[in-house]
Amino acid sequence: MLRKYNNSRTAADNIKLGVLTAFTAGMVNVAAFMMLLSFSSNVTGYYAVFSAELVHGNYYQAFVVGSWILLFFVGSFISNFLVIHLHSKNSHLAHALPLIIEIACLLFIGIYGQFFYLETLTETESLLSVMVFAMGLQNGLTASISNFTVKTTHLTGATTDLAILLSMFTKKSFRKNVELKEKAILIFSIMISYICGGITAGFLYSYIAFGLFYIVCALLFVVILYDFSRLGMVRFLRKTNQAKVYGRM
């Protein structure tokens, strides 16, 4: 799911990665809205809010919103920085490290929100800052290793892309294009998974509140563990096959 890079990835690899990370992103975004009354990855909307706050002379609010945009940018930057600089040394670590940092951020939010959160404005802005940074990390990672194919923290571009693809499928020649079909399936899978994640968060919020973030961390850990478990299985099978060969000799 994580270990393959760019053109070496298959459509199945991207769908697995997209579905799981989109589900977690949907959970985080809905949790942010229900708990903090703001979105964790709506960068397009934040640009509009930033501009409006500047026009109205609300410079502190503009600074806060501008910092959220910057944090999403920095999160994406760090993800790709780690991937391109560590990939040649250890691709598994390079691709897992951004998710490990994201898990740490979301775990902090869960623990702080559950045990220390007093619902002050400063706390709310700070928690949302950490959340936005975490979403930037996730979106930067999935986009980086999939050659910009998988983006899961917001669906503006995905909605546009799917609409374009469906309009193309009204022409018979495009309906025969396997690559376009795979892309449409990927985008649709991401959208459905994101919605399911949001619905799950909405149902669970009343019962566990900030405990939602523990579930998100567990799901992201599954994404990391999946590749390490697959790698271990491959090594085991190789050793088994080698043992069989030596046994025959």
Side-chain angles (χ1 to χ4, degrees):
M1 210 182 307
L2 289 177
R3 60 194 176 93
K4 295 181 182 178
Y5 186 63
N6 280 352
N7 295 328
S8 65
R9 298 181 63 83
T10 64
D13 292 328
N14 286 334
I15 288 175
K16 290 174 189 174
L17 178 65
V19 165
L20 271 175
T21 54
F23 187 87
T24 61
M27 288 189 69
V28 171
N29 212 27
V30 169
F33 181 72
M34 298 184 76
M35 297 171 185
L36 309 177
L37 300 179
S38 191
F39 295 108
S40 62
S41 56
N42 187 18
V43 178
T44 304
Y46 284 146
Y47 275 104
V49 174
F50 175 74
S51 302
E53 296 293 0
L54 281 180
V55 169
H56 289 98
N58 300 323
Y59 300 117
Y60 174 75
Q61 288 86 341
F63 171 78
V64 172
V65 176
S67 69
W68 292 339
I69 296 171
L70 180 62
L71 283 167
F72 191 91
F73 174 89
V74 171
S76 299
F77 175 89
I78 290 175
S79 282
N80 193 57
F81 180 88
L82 292 172
V83 169
I84 62 176
H85 286 280
L86 296 180
H87 177 78
S88 59
K89 299 177 182 178
N90 189 326
S91 62
H92 304 94
L93 177 63
H95 298 175
L97 196 53
L99 283 189
I100 293 172
I101 299 172
E102 181 187 356
I103 289 172
C105 290
L106 297 178
L107 189 61
F108 166 78
I109 293 170
I111 294 172
Y112 188 92
Q114 186 174 6
F115 297 107
F116 306 104
Y117 185 45
L118 299 177
E119 300 186 14
T120 65
L121 179 60
T122 301
E123 286 178 307
T124 300
E125 292 171 347
S126 299
L127 289 176
L128 193 60
S129 295
V130 177
M131 217 177 293
V132 169
F133 174 72
M135 291 295 95
L137 282 167
Q138 179 173 306
N139 208 48
L141 172 68
T142 57
S144 177
I145 67 175
S146 67
N147 198 22
F148 300 97
T149 302
V150 180
K151 297 177 183 177
T152 58
T153 62
H154 52 280
L155 301 180
T156 305
T159 303
T160 304
D161 291 346
L162 185 60
I164 291 171
L165 286 169
L166 291 179
S167 70
M168 293 173 70
F169 292 150
T170 60
K171 191 172 181 179
K172 187 175 181 180
S173 58
F174 287 120
R175 289 199 294 270
K176 297 179 180 179
N177 190 308
V178 176
E179 186 177 346
L180 290 179
K181 287 182 179 179
E182 290 178 345
K183 187 174 181 180
I185 292 171
L186 170 63
I187 294 172
F188 185 72
S189 300
I190 288 173
M191 293 172 71
I192 294 299
S193 185
Y194 189 97
I195 292 170
C196 290
I199 293 172
T200 301
F203 275 121
L204 293 178
Y205 171 73
S206 300
Y207 301 99
I208 58 177
F210 279 93
L212 281 170
F213 291 98
Y214 303 145
I215 297 176
V216 174
C217 290
L219 291 172
L220 291 173
F221 186 69
V222 168
V223 175
I224 297 173
L225 190 63
Y226 177 86
D227 277 326
F228 282 108
S229 63
R230 286 290 295 263
L231 183 63
M233 181 61 70
V234 169
R235 288 175 177 172
F236 173 77
L237 292 174
R238 284 177 180 173
K239 288 181 180 179
T240 303
N241 290 334
Q242 289 176 354
K244 288 180 180 179
V245 170
Y246 287 132
R248 291 172 183 171
M249 294 174 62

mmCIF file of all heavy atoms in Angstrom, residues 45-81:
data_model
loop_
_atom_site.group_PDB
_atom_site.id
_atom_site.type_symbol
_atom_site.label_atom_id
_atom_site.label_comp_id
_atom_site.label_asym_id
_atom_site.label_seq_id
_atom_site.Cartn_x
_atom_site.Cartn_y
_atom_site.Cartn_z
ATOM 1 N N GLY A 45 -11.687 26.862 1.240
ATOM 2 C CA GLY A 45 -12.545 27.726 2.047
ATOM 3 C C GLY A 45 -11.760 28.664 2.933
ATOM 4 O O GLY A 45 -12.153 29.829 3.130
ATOM 5 N N TYR A 46 -10.636 28.175 3.432
ATOM 6 C CA TYR A 46 -9.815 29.018 4.303
ATOM 7 C C TYR A 46 -9.197 30.193 3.537
ATOM 8 O O TYR A 46 -8.988 31.268 4.106
ATOM 9 C CB TYR A 46 -8.718 28.189 4.973
ATOM 10 C CG TYR A 46 -9.225 27.329 6.107
ATOM 11 C CD1 TYR A 46 -8.672 26.085 6.377
ATOM 12 C CD2 TYR A 46 -10.280 27.761 6.920
ATOM 13 C CE1 TYR A 46 -9.140 25.294 7.420
ATOM 14 C CE2 TYR A 46 -10.749 26.986 7.955
ATOM 15 C CZ TYR A 46 -10.184 25.753 8.201
ATOM 16 O OH TYR A 46 -10.657 24.983 9.239
ATOM 17 N N TYR A 47 -8.891 29.995 2.276
ATOM 18 C CA TYR A 47 -8.397 31.117 1.467
ATOM 19 C C TYR A 47 -9.468 32.211 1.373
ATOM 20 O O TYR A 47 -9.157 33.406 1.452
ATOM 21 C CB TYR A 47 -8.023 30.642 0.058
ATOM 22 C CG TYR A 47 -6.623 30.092 -0.054
ATOM 23 C CD1 TYR A 47 -6.395 28.720 -0.144
ATOM 24 C CD2 TYR A 47 -5.523 30.937 -0.080
ATOM 25 C CE1 TYR A 47 -5.111 28.202 -0.249
ATOM 26 C CE2 TYR A 47 -4.229 30.441 -0.183
ATOM 27 C CZ TYR A 47 -4.029 29.071 -0.270
ATOM 28 O OH TYR A 47 -2.760 28.577 -0.372
ATOM 29 N N ALA A 48 -10.714 31.787 1.204
ATOM 30 C CA ALA A 48 -11.810 32.756 1.126
ATOM 31 C C ALA A 48 -11.999 33.467 2.461
ATOM 32 O O ALA A 48 -12.178 34.694 2.515
ATOM 33 C CB ALA A 48 -13.102 32.041 0.718
ATOM 34 N N VAL A 49 -11.957 32.694 3.554
ATOM 35 C CA VAL A 49 -12.107 33.291 4.888
ATOM 36 C C VAL A 49 -10.960 34.254 5.175
ATOM 37 O O VAL A 49 -11.166 35.348 5.721
ATOM 38 C CB VAL A 49 -12.169 32.185 5.963
ATOM 39 C CG1 VAL A 49 -12.181 32.808 7.368
ATOM 40 C CG2 VAL A 49 -13.404 31.320 5.766
ATOM 41 N N PHE A 50 -9.749 33.851 4.805
ATOM 42 C CA PHE A 50 -8.568 34.701 5.009
ATOM 43 C C PHE A 50 -8.740 36.044 4.312
ATOM 44 O O PHE A 50 -8.494 37.115 4.894
ATOM 45 C CB PHE A 50 -7.331 33.978 4.473
ATOM 46 C CG PHE A 50 -6.071 34.788 4.517
ATOM 47 C CD1 PHE A 50 -5.405 35.020 5.717
ATOM 48 C CD2 PHE A 50 -5.544 35.330 3.350
ATOM 49 C CE1 PHE A 50 -4.233 35.769 5.757
ATOM 50 C CE2 PHE A 50 -4.384 36.080 3.383
ATOM 51 C CZ PHE A 50 -3.721 36.298 4.588
ATOM 52 N N SER A 51 -9.194 35.987 3.065
ATOM 53 C CA SER A 51 -9.397 37.227 2.306
ATOM 54 C C SER A 51 -10.479 38.092 2.939
ATOM 55 O O SER A 51 -10.337 39.316 3.062
ATOM 56 C CB SER A 51 -9.789 36.890 0.856
ATOM 57 O OG SER A 51 -8.796 36.104 0.232
ATOM 58 N N ALA A 52 -11.586 37.453 3.349
ATOM 59 C CA ALA A 52 -12.699 38.197 3.947
ATOM 60 C C ALA A 52 -12.285 38.859 5.258
ATOM 61 O O ALA A 52 -12.666 40.009 5.525
ATOM 62 C CB ALA A 52 -13.879 37.258 4.181
ATOM 63 N N GLU A 53 -11.528 38.153 6.068
ATOM 64 C CA GLU A 53 -11.089 38.715 7.352
ATOM 65 C C GLU A 53 -10.155 39.907 7.142
ATOM 66 O O GLU A 53 -10.221 40.902 7.882
ATOM 67 C CB GLU A 53 -10.387 37.642 8.185
ATOM 68 C CG GLU A 53 -11.264 36.469 8.601
ATOM 69 C CD GLU A 53 -12.353 36.854 9.591
ATOM 70 O OE1 GLU A 53 -12.453 38.042 9.970
ATOM 71 O OE2 GLU A 53 -13.121 35.959 9.995
ATOM 72 N N LEU A 54 -9.312 39.850 6.133
ATOM 73 C CA LEU A 54 -8.431 40.974 5.827
ATOM 74 C C LEU A 54 -9.234 42.196 5.400
ATOM 75 O O LEU A 54 -8.968 43.323 5.834
ATOM 76 C CB LEU A 54 -7.438 40.592 4.716
ATOM 77 C CG LEU A 54 -6.222 39.754 5.119
ATOM 78 C CD1 LEU A 54 -5.360 39.471 3.890
ATOM 79 C CD2 LEU A 54 -5.375 40.481 6.182
ATOM 80 N N VAL A 55 -10.233 41.960 4.544
ATOM 81 C CA VAL A 55 -11.071 43.059 4.056
ATOM 82 C C VAL A 55 -11.790 43.752 5.212
ATOM 83 O O VAL A 55 -11.917 44.984 5.244
ATOM 84 C CB VAL A 55 -12.086 42.537 3.020
ATOM 85 C CG1 VAL A 55 -13.130 43.608 2.703
ATOM 86 C CG2 VAL A 55 -11.365 42.113 1.744
ATOM 87 N N HIS A 56 -12.243 42.958 6.193
ATOM 88 C CA HIS A 56 -12.989 43.517 7.314
ATOM 89 C C HIS A 56 -12.075 44.024 8.440
ATOM 90 O O HIS A 56 -12.559 44.486 9.473
ATOM 91 C CB HIS A 56 -13.953 42.474 7.886
ATOM 92 C CG HIS A 56 -15.109 42.178 6.980
ATOM 93 N ND1 HIS A 56 -15.140 41.086 6.138
ATOM 94 C CD2 HIS A 56 -16.278 42.849 6.763
ATOM 95 C CE1 HIS A 56 -16.274 41.076 5.466
ATOM 96 N NE2 HIS A 56 -16.983 42.138 5.807
ATOM 97 N N GLY A 57 -10.783 43.940 8.223
ATOM 98 C CA GLY A 57 -9.845 44.451 9.213
ATOM 99 C C GLY A 57 -9.682 43.573 10.438
ATOM 100 O O GLY A 57 -9.159 44.021 11.465
ATOM 101 N N ASN A 58 -10.097 42.309 10.350
ATOM 102 C CA ASN A 58 -9.935 41.370 11.469
ATOM 103 C C ASN A 58 -8.587 40.661 11.326
ATOM 104 O O ASN A 58 -8.511 39.511 10.891
ATOM 105 C CB ASN A 58 -11.084 40.354 11.472
ATOM 106 C CG ASN A 58 -12.435 41.015 11.611
ATOM 107 O OD1 ASN A 58 -12.582 42.000 12.345
ATOM 108 N ND2 ASN A 58 -13.438 40.482 10.919
ATOM 109 N N TYR A 59 -7.543 41.378 11.678
ATOM 110 C CA TYR A 59 -6.191 40.902 11.374
ATOM 111 C C TYR A 59 -5.781 39.681 12.195
ATOM 112 O O TYR A 59 -5.035 38.827 11.709
ATOM 113 C CB TYR A 59 -5.192 42.043 11.548
ATOM 114 C CG TYR A 59 -5.480 43.210 10.633
ATOM 115 C CD1 TYR A 59 -5.818 44.454 11.142
ATOM 116 C CD2 TYR A 59 -5.450 43.049 9.252
ATOM 117 C CE1 TYR A 59 -6.110 45.526 10.304
ATOM 118 C CE2 TYR A 59 -5.736 44.104 8.397
ATOM 119 C CZ TYR A 59 -6.075 45.341 8.935
ATOM 120 O OH TYR A 59 -6.368 46.385 8.098
ATOM 121 N N TYR A 60 -6.253 39.602 13.430
ATOM 122 C CA TYR A 60 -5.903 38.417 14.226
ATOM 123 C C TYR A 60 -6.537 37.174 13.619
ATOM 124 O O TYR A 60 -5.883 36.137 13.468
ATOM 125 C CB TYR A 60 -6.375 38.581 15.674
ATOM 126 C CG TYR A 60 -6.172 37.321 16.494
ATOM 127 C CD1 TYR A 60 -4.899 36.956 16.930
ATOM 128 C CD2 TYR A 60 -7.252 36.473 16.783
ATOM 129 C CE1 TYR A 60 -4.702 35.784 17.648
ATOM 130 C CE2 TYR A 60 -7.065 35.300 17.501
ATOM 131 C CZ TYR A 60 -5.784 34.964 17.936
ATOM 132 O OH TYR A 60 -5.594 33.803 18.645
ATOM 133 N N GLN A 61 -7.836 37.272 13.258
ATOM 134 C CA GLN A 61 -8.511 36.138 12.646
ATOM 135 C C GLN A 61 -7.863 35.765 11.317
ATOM 136 O O GLN A 61 -7.714 34.577 10.992
ATOM 137 C CB GLN A 61 -9.996 36.452 12.430
ATOM 138 C CG GLN A 61 -10.819 36.499 13.702
ATOM 139 C CD GLN A 61 -10.782 37.881 14.364
ATOM 140 O OE1 GLN A 61 -9.892 38.696 14.083
ATOM 141 N NE2 GLN A 61 -11.742 38.130 15.241
ATOM 142 N N ALA A 62 -7.457 36.790 10.565
ATOM 143 C CA ALA A 62 -6.776 36.525 9.291
ATOM 144 C C ALA A 62 -5.454 35.809 9.527
ATOM 145 O O ALA A 62 -5.083 34.890 8.780
ATOM 146 C CB ALA A 62 -6.541 37.842 8.546
ATOM 147 N N PHE A 63 -4.751 36.203 10.593
ATOM 148 C CA PHE A 63 -3.478 35.545 10.935
ATOM 149 C C PHE A 63 -3.692 34.082 11.288
ATOM 150 O O PHE A 63 -2.936 33.205 10.848
ATOM 151 C CB PHE A 63 -2.825 36.276 12.110
ATOM 152 C CG PHE A 63 -1.635 35.549 12.680
ATOM 153 C CD1 PHE A 63 -0.408 35.585 12.040
ATOM 154 C CD2 PHE A 63 -1.764 34.804 13.862
ATOM 155 C CE1 PHE A 63 0.683 34.898 12.570
ATOM 156 C CE2 PHE A 63 -0.689 34.122 14.380
ATOM 157 C CZ PHE A 63 0.539 34.165 13.735
ATOM 158 N N VAL A 64 -4.730 33.801 12.076
ATOM 159 C CA VAL A 64 -5.016 32.419 12.485
ATOM 160 C C VAL A 64 -5.350 31.557 11.273
ATOM 161 O O VAL A 64 -4.794 30.469 11.085
ATOM 162 C CB VAL A 64 -6.175 32.372 13.498
ATOM 163 C CG1 VAL A 64 -6.603 30.929 13.762
ATOM 164 C CG2 VAL A 64 -5.767 33.042 14.809
ATOM 165 N N VAL A 65 -6.253 32.056 10.437
ATOM 166 C CA VAL A 65 -6.645 31.291 9.243
ATOM 167 C C VAL A 65 -5.460 31.140 8.288
ATOM 168 O O VAL A 65 -5.253 30.072 7.696
ATOM 169 C CB VAL A 65 -7.834 31.969 8.528
ATOM 170 C CG1 VAL A 65 -8.180 31.237 7.238
ATOM 171 C CG2 VAL A 65 -9.055 32.016 9.447
ATOM 172 N N GLY A 66 -4.672 32.194 8.156
ATOM 173 C CA GLY A 66 -3.480 32.116 7.310
ATOM 174 C C GLY A 66 -2.493 31.082 7.834
ATOM 175 O O GLY A 66 -1.838 30.384 7.049
ATOM 176 N N SER A 67 -2.400 30.967 9.157
ATOM 177 C CA SER A 67 -1.493 29.975 9.746
ATOM 178 C C SER A 67 -1.982 28.558 9.463
ATOM 179 O O SER A 67 -1.179 27.644 9.273
ATOM 180 C CB SER A 67 -1.369 30.191 11.259
ATOM 181 O OG SER A 67 -2.576 29.871 11.933
ATOM 182 N N TRP A 68 -3.311 28.365 9.398
ATOM 183 C CA TRP A 68 -3.839 27.035 9.060
ATOM 184 C C TRP A 68 -3.475 26.666 7.623
ATOM 185 O O TRP A 68 -3.097 25.524 7.349
ATOM 186 C CB TRP A 68 -5.356 27.011 9.249
ATOM 187 C CG TRP A 68 -5.791 27.118 10.679
ATOM 188 C CD1 TRP A 68 -5.040 26.839 11.788
ATOM 189 C CD2 TRP A 68 -7.069 27.546 11.152
ATOM 190 N NE1 TRP A 68 -5.774 27.059 12.933
ATOM 191 C CE2 TRP A 68 -7.020 27.495 12.576
ATOM 192 C CE3 TRP A 68 -8.244 27.962 10.534
ATOM 193 C CZ2 TRP A 68 -8.116 27.848 13.363
ATOM 194 C CZ3 TRP A 68 -9.335 28.313 11.322
ATOM 195 C CH2 TRP A 68 -9.261 28.245 12.720
ATOM 196 N N ILE A 69 -3.590 27.627 6.719
ATOM 197 C CA ILE A 69 -3.205 27.376 5.324
ATOM 198 C C ILE A 69 -1.721 27.011 5.247
ATOM 199 O O ILE A 69 -1.326 26.062 4.560
ATOM 200 C CB ILE A 69 -3.490 28.614 4.450
ATOM 201 C CG1 ILE A 69 -5.003 28.901 4.412
ATOM 202 C CG2 ILE A 69 -2.955 28.419 3.037
ATOM 203 C CD1 ILE A 69 -5.359 30.222 3.758
ATOM 204 N N LEU A 70 -0.903 27.758 5.985
ATOM 205 C CA LEU A 70 0.539 27.514 5.982
ATOM 206 C C LEU A 70 0.865 26.147 6.570
ATOM 207 O O LEU A 70 1.738 25.436 6.050
ATOM 208 C CB LEU A 70 1.243 28.614 6.772
ATOM 209 C CG LEU A 70 2.776 28.500 6.869
ATOM 210 C CD1 LEU A 70 3.405 28.569 5.483
ATOM 211 C CD2 LEU A 70 3.335 29.605 7.764
ATOM 212 N N LEU A 71 0.162 25.763 7.631
ATOM 213 C CA LEU A 71 0.431 24.477 8.274
ATOM 214 C C LEU A 71 0.072 23.316 7.356
ATOM 215 O O LEU A 71 0.769 22.297 7.326
ATOM 216 C CB LEU A 71 -0.341 24.375 9.590
ATOM 217 C CG LEU A 71 0.252 25.158 10.759
ATOM 218 C CD1 LEU A 71 -0.737 25.248 11.912
ATOM 219 C CD2 LEU A 71 1.560 24.514 11.225
ATOM 220 N N PHE A 72 -1.011 23.445 6.604
ATOM 221 C CA PHE A 72 -1.361 22.408 5.631
ATOM 222 C C PHE A 72 -0.254 22.316 4.570
ATOM 223 O O PHE A 72 0.155 21.212 4.177
ATOM 224 C CB PHE A 72 -2.696 22.728 4.971
ATOM 225 C CG PHE A 72 -3.262 21.603 4.149
ATOM 226 C CD1 PHE A 72 -4.117 20.670 4.716
ATOM 227 C CD2 PHE A 72 -2.938 21.477 2.801
ATOM 228 C CE1 PHE A 72 -4.642 19.627 3.954
ATOM 229 C CE2 PHE A 72 -3.453 20.441 2.043
ATOM 230 C CZ PHE A 72 -4.307 19.513 2.617
ATOM 231 N N PHE A 73 0.222 23.462 4.135
ATOM 232 C CA PHE A 73 1.314 23.529 3.156
ATOM 233 C C PHE A 73 2.577 22.868 3.717
ATOM 234 O O PHE A 73 3.225 22.060 3.042
ATOM 235 C CB PHE A 73 1.586 24.992 2.801
ATOM 236 C CG PHE A 73 2.778 25.201 1.913
ATOM 237 C CD1 PHE A 73 2.647 25.180 0.532
ATOM 238 C CD2 PHE A 73 4.044 25.433 2.443
ATOM 239 C CE1 PHE A 73 3.740 25.380 -0.288
ATOM 240 C CE2 PHE A 73 5.138 25.630 1.636
ATOM 241 C CZ PHE A 73 4.997 25.598 0.255
ATOM 242 N N VAL A 74 2.925 23.207 4.952
ATOM 243 C CA VAL A 74 4.136 22.667 5.575
ATOM 244 C C VAL A 74 4.020 21.151 5.748
ATOM 245 O O VAL A 74 4.988 20.414 5.527
ATOM 246 C CB VAL A 74 4.399 23.349 6.942
ATOM 247 C CG1 VAL A 74 5.516 22.639 7.695
ATOM 248 C CG2 VAL A 74 4.747 24.814 6.736
ATOM 249 N N GLY A 75 2.836 20.673 6.154
ATOM 250 C CA GLY A 75 2.632 19.240 6.294
ATOM 251 C C GLY A 75 2.859 18.504 4.983
ATOM 252 O O GLY A 75 3.541 17.473 4.940
ATOM 253 N N SER A 76 2.315 19.031 3.893
ATOM 254 C CA SER A 76 2.507 18.423 2.574
ATOM 255 C C SER A 76 3.972 18.481 2.147
ATOM 256 O O SER A 76 4.512 17.524 1.580
ATOM 257 C CB SER A 76 1.635 19.138 1.536
ATOM 258 O OG SER A 76 0.268 19.023 1.857
ATOM 259 N N PHE A 77 4.614 19.616 2.446
ATOM 260 C CA PHE A 77 6.033 19.780 2.112
ATOM 261 C C PHE A 77 6.885 18.741 2.830
ATOM 262 O O PHE A 77 7.753 18.097 2.227
ATOM 263 C CB PHE A 77 6.486 21.193 2.494
ATOM 264 C CG PHE A 77 7.956 21.436 2.305
ATOM 265 C CD1 PHE A 77 8.452 21.890 1.091
ATOM 266 C CD2 PHE A 77 8.859 21.213 3.338
ATOM 267 C CE1 PHE A 77 9.814 22.109 0.907
ATOM 268 C CE2 PHE A 77 10.213 21.431 3.164
ATOM 269 C CZ PHE A 77 10.695 21.874 1.947
ATOM 270 N N ILE A 78 6.641 18.565 4.119
ATOM 271 C CA ILE A 78 7.431 17.623 4.910
ATOM 272 C C ILE A 78 7.259 16.198 4.399
ATOM 273 O O ILE A 78 8.229 15.433 4.302
ATOM 274 C CB ILE A 78 7.052 17.725 6.405
ATOM 275 C CG1 ILE A 78 7.556 19.051 6.978
ATOM 276 C CG2 ILE A 78 7.631 16.550 7.202
ATOM 277 C CD1 ILE A 78 7.123 19.305 8.411
ATOM 278 N N SER A 79 6.023 15.819 4.063
ATOM 279 C CA SER A 79 5.779 14.470 3.554
ATOM 280 C C SER A 79 6.601 14.186 2.308
ATOM 281 O O SER A 79 7.301 13.170 2.223
ATOM 282 C CB SER A 79 4.287 14.281 3.238
ATOM 283 O OG SER A 79 3.544 14.062 4.399
ATOM 284 N N ASN A 80 6.518 15.066 1.332
ATOM 285 C CA ASN A 80 7.248 14.838 0.094
ATOM 286 C C ASN A 80 8.758 14.943 0.312
ATOM 287 O O ASN A 80 9.536 14.217 -0.311
ATOM 288 C CB ASN A 80 6.811 15.838 -0.974
ATOM 289 C CG ASN A 80 7.304 15.442 -2.353
ATOM 290 O OD1 ASN A 80 7.023 14.359 -2.831
ATOM 291 N ND2 ASN A 80 8.052 16.327 -2.984
ATOM 292 N N PHE A 81 9.176 15.837 1.203
ATOM 293 C CA PHE A 81 10.602 15.973 1.528
ATOM 294 C C PHE A 81 11.156 14.655 2.061
ATOM 295 O O PHE A 81 12.236 14.201 1.649
ATOM 296 C CB PHE A 81 10.784 17.082 2.566
ATOM 297 C CG PHE A 81 12.210 17.307 2.981
ATOM 298 C CD1 PHE A 81 13.027 18.177 2.272
ATOM 299 C CD2 PHE A 81 12.743 16.658 4.095
ATOM 300 C CE1 PHE A 81 14.342 18.387 2.650
ATOM 301 C CE2 PHE A 81 14.053 16.865 4.484
ATOM 302 C CZ PHE A 81 14.856 17.732 3.757
#
